[in-house]
Amino acid sequence: MFINNFDPVAIQILSLEIRWYSIAYIAGILIGWYLSKRYFISNQEIKEKFDDYITYIILGIIIGGRLGYVLFYNFDYYFYHPIDIIKIWQGGMSFHGGLLGIIFITLWFAKRNDHNPFYYLDIISIVAPIGIFFGRISNFINSELYGTVTSVPWAVKFIQIDNLYRLPSQLYEAIFEGLVLFVIILIFKNRGFLNFPGIISGIFLIFYSLFRFFIEFFRVPDEQLGYLIMNLTMGQIISFIFFIFGIYLITTKYEIKKKN
C-alpha cells in the first residue's frame, strides 16, 4: 500500500506557483505538437498550418474544458457565482468539454482554410492520449478524482483527502486512456486508416469512451452530483454519448473507405 502526500505545487518562486497540472498540460501539448509534425502529418499544406492550429487548440482546450465543467458538473454553483468561472486556477476542467472545444475550433479553422476538418482531428486523436496520460498522472499527484475505498495491495491513502485506502483510479485512467489507447490508435494508423479521414477520430472516441466508462465504476463520483441515471456518473453518461457518436463516425467513414 502507498501513501500519497505529494505537493500539487511543483515549483514555487516567491509567490509564483507552478503546479503539476500546468506542467502536464504544457508537456502534453508540446510532445503532441512535436510528434505530429515529425511523424504523423504527411500533407505539407496541413503541416504548414499546424502551428497556427495548435495555438487555437490551446484556447479550445482551456475554454471548452472550463465551460464543460461549469455546464456538466457544477452548474448550480456557477449560476450563482458567475465570476468564479474565470478562476481556472482553482481547478475544475472537463475532458469532454475540452474535446468539444477542440472539435468546434477545428471545424472553424478547417473551414477558414478550406480543409477537411478530419485531417486535423485524426492527428489530434493520435497524440491526445499522451496529454491524457500526463493529465491523469497530475490528477494522482493532486489527490483528485480518486477511487473507491478498497483493501487491495496496491491501494493508496490520499493524505489530503482522508485516512482511507482507495483505488488509484487516476493511474488506471493514465494506463488505459493514455498508454493503451495510444498503442491501439498507432496500430490502426500503421494499417493505413489515417488515409481515410475520420476513421482514426472515431476509433479514439470509441476506445476512450469504453475505458472511461468502465474505470468510473472504480472512481468516487463528483461530490456535488453523485450518481445519476441508472446509478451512472456524469462522466459515464457523457462517455456513452461520445461512444455512440464514435460508432456513427466509424460506420459512415468506413462506408466511404469501402467505396474508394
Side-chain angles (χ1 to χ4, degrees):
M1 294 185 175
F2 181 78
I3 296 179
N4 181 336
N5 196 25
F6 291 116
D7 188 345
V9 178
I11 302 171
Q12 182 166 357
I13 303 174
L14 299 178
S15 60
L16 175 64
E17 294 183 346
I18 301 177
R19 294 178 173 267
W20 288 109
Y21 206 71
S22 299
I23 294 175
Y25 265 88
I26 294 170
I29 291 170
L30 291 180
I31 294 174
W33 187 0
Y34 170 78
L35 292 178
S36 296
K37 296 196 68 174
R38 181 71 174 82
Y39 297 106
F40 302 135
I41 303 176
S42 57
N43 185 302
Q44 187 59 36
E45 188 176 358
I46 299 296
K47 184 177 291 188
E48 291 173 358
K49 292 289 185 180
F50 201 73
D51 291 349
D52 293 335
Y53 172 64
I54 287 295
T55 302
Y56 291 112
I57 281 295
I58 294 172
L59 293 176
I61 292 173
I62 295 174
I63 296 174
R66 184 57 170 175
L67 292 181
Y69 179 79
V70 170
L71 295 175
F72 300 149
Y73 292 94
N74 216 347
F75 180 77
D76 288 344
Y77 173 82
Y78 289 104
F79 181 79
Y80 293 103
H81 305 85
I83 192 64
D84 287 352
I85 294 176
I86 64 174
K87 299 179 181 179
I88 59 176
W89 58 88
Q90 294 181 352
M93 297 286 282
S94 161
F95 170 82
H96 291 108
L99 180 56
L100 288 173
I102 290 174
I103 292 172
F104 285 125
I105 284 291
T106 302
L107 293 174
W108 168 80
F109 187 84
K111 183 177 181 180
R112 180 185 180 190
N113 291 280
D114 197 25
H115 290 155
N116 185 335
F118 286 109
Y119 289 157
Y120 296 97
L121 290 174
D122 285 353
I123 297 299
I124 292 298
S125 294
I126 296 175
V127 298
I130 299 170
I132 295 172
F133 173 80
F134 286 120
R136 295 311 184 192
I137 293 298
S138 68
N139 290 149
F140 180 78
I141 293 173
N142 291 346
S143 296
E144 58 191 7
L145 309 183
Y146 44 83
T148 54
V149 176
T150 185
S151 59
V152 297
W154 57 90
V156 176
K157 180 190 291 186
F158 297 94
I159 295 297
Q160 299 180 38
I161 305 303
D162 51 35
N163 288 319
L164 302 175
Y165 281 96
R166 301 176 175 276
L167 291 171
S169 55
Q170 312 97 323
L171 300 185
Y172 294 176
E173 293 188 87
I175 293 171
F176 286 95
E177 298 169 10
L179 300 179
V180 174
L181 181 57
F182 183 59
V183 171
I184 290 173
I185 293 180
L186 281 183
I187 290 173
F188 281 97
K189 179 263 179 187
N190 291 336
R191 292 185 176 180
F193 285 91
L194 191 58
N195 297 322
F196 301 93
I199 291 183
I200 293 294
S201 297
I203 291 168
F204 171 84
L205 290 178
I206 289 171
F207 281 98
Y208 173 84
S209 299
L210 283 174
F211 292 145
R212 174 74 179 269
F213 185 90
F214 286 106
I215 292 174
E216 290 235 352
F217 284 116
F218 304 100
R219 189 170 117 180
V220 174
D222 295 88
E223 182 178 356
Q224 69 277 11
L225 291 178
Y227 293 102
L228 303 172
I229 303 171
M230 299 176 63
N231 280 331
L232 298 177
T233 65
M234 178 62 78
Q236 288 174 312
I237 294 170
I238 300 175
S239 293
F240 179 75
I241 295 172
F242 275 86
F243 174 80
I244 296 300
F245 184 71
I247 293 292
Y248 169 78
L249 197 57
I250 287 288
T251 302
T252 55
K253 296 301 179 181
Y254 193 72
E255 286 298 321
I256 296 175
K257 175 183 181 297
K258 287 197 299 182
K259 291 179 181 179
N260 293 333

